[in-house]
Structure formats: structure tokens, C-alpha cells
Amino acid sequence: METREQLYEGKAKTLYATDDPRLLVQHFKDDATAFNAQKRGTIHDKGVVNNRMSEYLFRYLEEHGIHTHFVERTDDRRMVVQRLTMLPIEVIVRNRIAGSLAKRLGVAEGTAAKQRIIEFSLKSDELGDPLLTDDHILALGLVEAAELAQVKEVTGRIADLLTAFFAERGLELIDFKIELGHDADGRLTLGDEICPDTMRLWDMATGEKKDKDRFRHDLGDVEETYQEVLARVLAD
Amino acid sequence: METREQLYEGKAKTLYATDDPRLLVQHFKDDATAFNAQKRGTIHDKGVVNNRMSEYLFRYLEEHGIHTHFVERTDDRRMVVQRLTMLPIEVIVRNRIAGSLAKRLGVAEGTAAKQRIIEFSLKSDELGDPLLTDDHILALGLVEAAELAQVKEVTGRIADLLTAFFAERGLELIDFKIELGHDADGRLTLGDEICPDTMRLWDMATGEKKDKDRFRHDLGDVEETYQEVLARVLAD
């Protein structure tokens, strides 16, 4: 598909308009950032891995009744997606408490959660994506109450599906981030990407981190890990 | 009442044991801190104001069906209170968005909230009292779900009562912090203090800040403001 003007350039992806106003092209880059872009680097072929892995997971979720923006993958680094009107919040799901939340709450990395956490943050690079409670979202009118309930319901189904998917491949899904929006028909739809950049995956046998934490914390084997996770995802 | 050993020394208060294991003495100091104790100072007779104002407001809330830890005021700076087993969370109520939350979310000081915000934070000076969502509280097992609902219900009633109380005295209650615990019979009970240290009050006629923000932001007339608010509270 022919691309037209660049609409958005993010840390890891670029979005282009197309001749069809309902469709966009999403281009996956190798650039990596961490800690609110204080750390920057490149992970060789990360864009290729994330494009293929996102394709596979969007198809899997679609097969299980989740609306996603995925249309087709056109080459190694690009996929065609539906144009969504994004919600102004990010959604984070946590099966265990890890990363910045563990540090902020003073608990050990990987502390078990007595129940799954669905967490929201304001989409704002400038403000560092601040954490929002439900009351903050409603008080600011960012999302209406009925839709917030729907976001939680869909997110719960996605979390169940992805947690089971990775468990079958020997990986524990610790946490992940998703972004949702509305398609042209107003349907709540999963957008963005689903890949080792946006989730924590721990090897169930060895406990090893199989995600972007290898880059964040200089754990080595970064590129190899992205390739390994893709291979596990694709190996049906 | 005779005091025995000091149990706790906080930023603005000291707690002492008494000969009765069910009762404590709460002593109000003039020391003031702000911005997680990065700013320190003294506000002359603040302890006297906060003791008398807390007494008055605890009595008012008791008359309206709220259980509080207040027993009696014994002198200018001391009150006898019930010993509570405190919840590990602080409760913040916001009628408008001000202070650290306004800064964090990038909205103007005093932004109107489309609905009242009830917010929780982990009681931890060391961690800077981090914000908690309901899911965080339940996932960490800090408070059980049924009790969290009860905390919100009681907090909502306290907020209605205090908002109306100050409105009758020409002061808009912008936000306030409370702490809750269980008394010896297991009843959910309001503890701590209720005073210009723990709330924001804006003059409804002039918009002037009538609370600890005068100290935080060096607005002047700090002591006079504490005395004025006490006088308004006591003037039935």
C-alpha cells in the first residue's frame, strides 16, 4: 500500500496516512528507549520482530473475538491498520508487580498480585504518562463511566487470552501495555502493537527475562531474546 | 490525663501512651513541613489552632453519625483519643484538582472535577506516600474489597459534611486528607486530625488560599490565616 504523509513518529513506530482515509500504515523501527526516553539505543531487527509478533497476536486475538486495528502485514517492517480515534489513556495489565510499580510501592520485583491489576495512565510523554485512578479519569472526563467499564471488560479478556497464549509457550506474562481506540464505526478496538517492547515475559523454566528489560537493564542477549520470543510465538 | 512513653513523633504531632491501653494523647506541634519534608519551618501557635479545630470538627462529625477517635481536649495542645489500628493507606478527597495532582496531570490549579475524587496513597514517608489505585490496594491485600467499599462510603459522608460546614463559613473545601483505623471494637473510625494542615480551603468571596499552601508557597500571613480559619470555624 502506498503511504502518504507521516502522521506521527513515536519512539518505536512511525504512522503514515494512505490513499484510504480509513487506513494507516504502521512502520516498526529498531530504535529503543527506556525510562521515559532517558536511555536510548537500537536493537537490530527489533522492528521486524515486533511487526511479525504483533501481526500474529492481533490475528490470534481477532480469532478469539477481540476487535483489533490489524488489516494486513505488507512487508518486514510495515502493517496496514485501521485508523482509530485513540482514547487518551494507556492501559497496563499486571499479573505480577514488576518494574516501576514495584519500585514505587517498595515491593520486590515480581511480587505476586492477589488479583490482576488493570491500571491506567494519561498518554503524555511530557508528563511522563502519569498514573490515573478511575476517579481521576471520570473527574477529568477523559473517558465516560460506561466506556471505562467496557475498557476493563475487553482488557480482562485480552489479558486472559495473552496470559494463556504465552503460558503454552513456556513464558509467564508478567505485565503488558495496550492502547485502545474507536474505529470508524465507533467500536472499541485494540490498536498500537503487542510485542516484547510492551510486555514483560519471564521464562517459566529458568525465570529469565525475555523482553525489553534486557535492554533497560543491560542484561545482554537483547537481539537474541527478541528473535527467540518471536520463534516461540510462531512455533504452533 | 498522664502520658507515658512516646509512641510516635510525626511532622506535626506526637502520640503518647497513657495508663489506659485503649487511649492515647495526641500533642499538636507548631512544626510544619511541605513537599515531603523538603521544606521545614514553624508556624506560631499552629498546634493550638489545629488541636481546637480538630476538636470542633470531630465533635461536629460525631453529631452527624461519623465515628471518630476524639475523646476530649485536655489543654491547648493536647487531646485524648482512642487507640486505633490504622489502615495502611491515606485517603484524599478532592472537590477540585489542586496541588501536586494538578501539576502531575498538567491541569490548572483548582480545575473543577466532574465528580468528586476519592484517592488513596500508601502510608510511607520513605516512598513519598505513592498513589494507589483500587486494584493496587486489592492486589497487595492492603485492605479487603468489602472494607474498601466501606471506606469510600464513610469518606463520601465525611466529604459531604465538611464541604457543607465550610461553605456555610464562606470557605470552599478544595481537598482534604484523612486517616482511618479500627477501634477496639473493630469499628471503622476517623483518626488523625482535621485542620488547615490537612485540607485546602479557598475564600469563596476573594479566592484567597486559607490553608497550609500559604506556608508551602510563601504567600505570607500564615499565622493570621490559621487564626482566621479557627475563628470562622468556632463562630457558629
Side-chain angles (χ1 to χ4, degrees):
Chain A
M1 177 162 283
E2 288 295 304
T3 58
R4 296 183 60 167
E5 78 275 20
Q6 179 179 310
L7 296 177
Y8 167 81
E9 177 154 22
K11 298 162 193 163
K13 292 190 304 296
T14 309
L15 274 182
Y16 296 93
T18 69
D19 290 331
D20 185 333
R22 295 165 308 172
L23 298 179
L24 304 177
V25 163
Q26 186 160 266
H27 176 101
F28 290 79
K29 302 190 290 182
D30 287 351
D31 297 344
T33 64
F35 310 118
N36 203 24
Q38 287 173 62
K39 176 170 184 161
R40 291 166 183 276
T42 300
I43 301 169
H44 179 68
D45 274 353
K46 173 171 81 74
V48 177
V49 168
N50 289 358
N51 189 27
R52 293 214 56 194
M53 185 160 153
S54 291
E55 174 197 17
Y56 196 95
L57 290 171
F58 281 135
R59 287 186 190 278
Y60 166 75
L61 292 172
E62 283 279 356
E63 281 163 19
H64 290 82
I66 305 292
H67 299 304
T68 83
H69 70 157
F70 179 76
V71 177
E72 60 170 340
R73 185 168 62 82
T74 47
D75 66 29
D76 265 4
R77 292 182 176 272
R78 293 185 173 207
M79 60 169 60
V80 179
V81 298
Q82 289 183 72
R83 184 195 284 261
L84 302 182
T85 306
M86 301 307 289
L87 299 182
I89 58 174
E90 289 187 356
V91 184
I92 297 124
V93 177
R94 301 179 186 274
N95 291 320
R96 287 183 183 269
I97 299 171
S100 59
L101 183 64
K103 201 171 167 187
R104 218 172 57 78
L105 300 185
V107 301
E109 176 79 0
T111 295
K114 285 177 195 285
Q115 66 163 54
R116 179 178 287 158
I117 296 168
I118 297 181
E119 196 181 281
F120 304 104
S121 68
L122 183 67
K123 249 189 239 184
S124 168
D125 286 342
E126 196 186 332
L127 297 169
D129 298 331
L131 176 66
L132 298 169
T133 69
D134 290 11
D135 276 6
H136 294 154
I137 292 169
L138 301 173
L140 289 171
L142 297 173
V143 177
E144 298 297 317
E147 180 152 71
L148 190 59
Q150 197 195 348
V151 166
K152 289 184 186 186
E153 188 271 322
V154 169
T155 299
R157 283 196 285 138
I158 293 170
D160 286 341
L161 288 164
L162 292 180
T163 302
F165 179 92
F166 285 105
E168 282 166 19
R169 285 152 181 84
L171 293 167
E172 184 179 347
L173 179 58
I174 303 302
D175 56 32
F176 63 96
K177 186 263 289 185
I178 54 174
E179 301 191 19
L180 296 159
H182 293 111
D183 68 10
D185 301 321
R187 279 196 310 192
L188 191 63
T189 304
L190 179 62
D192 202 45
E193 62 187 319
I194 313 177
C195 62
D197 277 11
T198 60
M199 47 177 55
R200 283 190 174 82
L201 293 165
W202 293 2
D203 190 294
M204 287 169 130
T206 66
E208 271 190 312
K209 294 177 194 289
K210 300 291 188 183
D211 54 60
K212 193 170 143 186
D213 271 349
R214 302 204 75 81
F215 166 77
R216 283 191 193 95
H217 303 298
D218 301 314
L219 302 179
D221 293 332
V222 181
E223 285 146 24
E224 293 78 356
T225 298
Y226 274 73
Q227 296 293 343
E228 180 198 330
V229 170
L230 176 62
R232 290 213 210 181
V233 164
L234 298 182
D236 265 315
Chain B
M1 178 162 284
E2 289 295 304
T3 57
R4 296 183 59 166
E5 78 275 18
Q6 180 180 308
L7 297 177
Y8 167 81
E9 177 155 21
K11 298 164 193 164
K13 293 192 302 298
T14 309
L15 274 183
Y16 297 94
T18 69
D19 290 333
D20 185 334
R22 294 164 309 171
L23 299 178
L24 305 177
V25 163
Q26 186 160 264
H27 176 102
F28 291 79
K29 303 190 288 184
D30 287 351
D31 297 343
T33 63
F35 311 117
N36 203 23
Q38 287 175 61
K39 177 170 183 164
R40 291 166 182 276
T42 299
I43 301 169
H44 179 69
D45 275 354
K46 174 171 81 73
V48 178
V49 168
N50 289 357
N51 189 27
R52 293 213 56 193
M53 187 163 152
S54 291
E55 174 197 14
Y56 196 94
L57 291 171
F58 281 135
R59 287 186 190 280
Y60 165 76
L61 292 172
E62 283 279 356
E63 282 163 18
H64 291 81
I66 305 292
H67 299 305
T68 82
H69 70 158
F70 180 76
V71 177
E72 61 171 340
R73 184 169 62 81
T74 48
D75 67 29
D76 266 5
R77 292 182 176 274
R78 292 185 174 206
M79 60 168 58
V80 180
V81 297
Q82 289 182 74
R83 184 195 284 262
L84 303 182
T85 306
M86 301 308 289
L87 300 182
I89 57 174
E90 290 187 355
V91 184
I92 297 125
V93 176
R94 303 179 186 272
N95 291 319
R96 287 182 183 269
I97 299 170
S100 59
L101 183 65
K103 201 169 167 187
R104 218 171 59 77
L105 299 184
V107 302
E109 176 79 0
T111 295
K114 285 178 196 283
Q115 65 163 55
R116 177 179 289 157
I117 295 168
I118 297 181
E119 194 180 285
F120 303 105
S121 68
L122 183 67
K123 250 190 241 183
S124 168
D125 286 342
E126 196 187 332
L127 297 168
D129 298 331
L131 176 66
L132 297 169
T133 68
D134 291 10
D135 276 6
H136 294 154
I137 292 169
L138 300 174
L140 289 171
L142 297 172
V143 177
E144 297 298 316
E147 180 153 72
L148 190 60
Q150 198 195 348
V151 166
K152 289 185 186 185
E153 189 273 321
V154 169
T155 300
R157 284 196 285 137
I158 294 170
D160 287 341
L161 288 164
L162 292 179
T163 302
F165 178 93
F166 285 106
E168 282 167 18
R169 285 153 180 85
L171 293 167
E172 183 179 350
L173 179 57
I174 304 301
D175 56 34
F176 64 96
K177 186 264 291 185
I178 55 176
E179 300 191 21
L180 297 158
H182 295 111
D183 68 10
D185 300 322
R187 280 197 309 194
L188 191 63
T189 304
L190 179 62
D192 201 46
E193 61 186 318
I194 314 177
C195 62
D197 278 12
T198 60
M199 46 178 54
R200 284 190 173 83
L201 293 164
W202 293 1
D203 190 294
M204 286 171 129
T206 65
E208 271 190 311
K209 293 177 194 291
K210 300 292 190 184
D211 54 58
K212 194 170 141 188
D213 271 349
R214 301 205 75 81
F215 166 77
R216 283 190 192 94
H217 303 298
D218 300 314
L219 302 178
D221 293 332
V222 181
E223 285 146 24
E224 294 78 355
T225 298
Y226 274 73
Q227 296 293 342
E228 181 199 329
V229 170
L230 176 61
R232 289 212 209 181
V233 164
L234 298 182
D236 265 314

